[in-house]
Amino acid sequence: RGGGAAGPAVAKWAGLAFWRESPVGRRFVPVETDYWFERGYRLMRICDFVEHCMTADAKKEVPPGLSMGGYVAQHALLDVIPELADDIITPDIAHCGSDGYLLRQAFFGPKGTVTPLHEDPYENAFCQVVGWKYMRIFAPSESAKLYARDGDLRNNSALEPADILEGEASSAYGSRDAEDQVSGRFPKFVEADYVDVVLEPGDFLYLPKGWWHFVKSLSTSISIAFHFD
């Protein structure tokens, strides 16, 4: 807890005035309108995107898709806007990759945005900067129960719905009977062991290579993932 709170971003980026009034707010970012790019993406000024996040958080009706109508995901924000990089301290562990590889990616979106269950081919030092984010984590030993897709997307799960919290609430994956037997569309997933956590502003989480994870924003959220190998 609090391992990523040393830099000024946690306090500075949480203020709406920073994004609305500073020159940074007039820069453009690519905004996904759906996780699988079925509806493409659009360019928005950051100040306008922040307004979108505030509006989306206040709505009672949830927009279709996993991106809540707009999500800045896997974006090299700190490289595109170098002045923002001064607000974030790179975790020491992110400098430990044997190949010297380091990729900084931003995830910025409103309440309800979902990154479906997947695993990455690199180490991940994940810093929660603004807002709260739910994460569910599965060890590689649980991979056989997570229904990996085929082909190039085999590091992604084929679970439907992709929002695990929604799927569990509706028993969409399967359920146990009186004899403790599991049936349903994804019975192995119901038996998978996991740990979960709610990340708060300033929290830091290390995700080893190959560990599966599902992520959902509980409020407007900004996270920076330091990928290294």
Side-chain angles (χ1 to χ4, degrees), residues 94 96-103 121-123 209 226-229:
C96 295
S98 59
D99 293 339
Y101 170 88
L102 177 61
L103 178 65
Y122 36 67
E123 314 289 338
K209 181 191 302 186
F226 296 86
H227 297 151
F228 62 101
D229 203 1

Side-chain angles (χ1 to χ4, degrees), residues 42-61:
R42 64 185 186 275
L43 292 175
M44 292 180 67
R45 295 188 306 170
I46 295 179
C47 59
D48 296 329
F49 179 69
V50 169
E51 293 293 341
H52 156 74
C53 291
M54 297 297 102
T55 301
D57 279 8
K59 284 183 177 179
K60 293 183 179 180
E61 294 185 4

Side-chain angles (χ1 to χ4, degrees), residues 79-101:
D79 298 310
V80 175
I81 309 177
E83 53 264 48
L84 291 179
D86 295 335
D87 297 335
I88 295 285
I89 295 177
T90 301
D92 289 344
I93 194 172
H95 296 292
C96 295
S98 59
D99 293 339
Y101 170 88

Side-chain angles (χ1 to χ4, degrees), residues 5-128:
V10 171
K12 185 176 178 181
W13 293 8
L16 291 178
F18 172 69
W19 303 107
R20 287 172 173 168
E21 300 169 10
S22 74
V24 167
R26 296 192 290 273
R27 300 291 294 271
F28 284 81
V29 288
V31 179
E32 297 178 2
T33 52
D34 187 77
Y35 181 82
W36 299 110
F37 292 100
E38 293 174 354
R39 288 184 287 273
Y41 69 93
R42 64 185 186 275
L43 292 175
M44 292 180 67
R45 295 188 306 170
I46 295 179
C47 59
D48 296 329
F49 179 69
V50 169
E51 293 293 341
H52 156 74
C53 291
M54 297 297 102
T55 301
D57 279 8
K59 284 183 177 179
K60 293 183 179 180
E61 294 185 4
V62 177
L66 302 175
S67 300
M68 296 295 107
Y71 189 26
V72 176
Q74 300 184 78
H75 179 52
L77 186 67
L78 304 186
D79 298 310
V80 175
I81 309 177
E83 53 264 48
L84 291 179
D86 295 335
D87 297 335
I88 295 285
I89 295 177
T90 301
D92 289 344
I93 194 172
H95 296 292
C96 295
S98 59
D99 293 339
Y101 170 88
L102 177 61
L103 178 65
R104 304 176 298 180
Q105 294 190 318
F107 296 81
F108 188 170
K111 177 182 178 180
T113 49
V114 166
T115 300
L117 183 62
H118 69 286
E119 56 92 7
D120 296 315
Y122 36 67
E123 314 289 338
N124 186 349
F126 191 90
C127 294
Q128 183 63 19

Side-chain angles (χ1 to χ4, degrees), residues 126-170:
F126 191 90
C127 294
Q128 183 63 19
V129 183
V130 174
W132 286 259
K133 187 162 276 186
Y134 173 86
M135 188 177 294
R136 184 175 296 191
I137 306 165
F138 301 81
S141 59
E142 299 299 299
S143 296
K145 302 174 184 176
L146 303 182
Y147 296 91
R149 292 173 180 264
D150 296 326
D152 293 340
L153 294 175
R154 60 185 175 275
N155 66 317
N156 289 267
S157 172
L159 287 176
E160 286 291 342
D163 183 337
I164 289 177
L165 300 183
E166 177 185 300
E168 288 181 337
S170 62

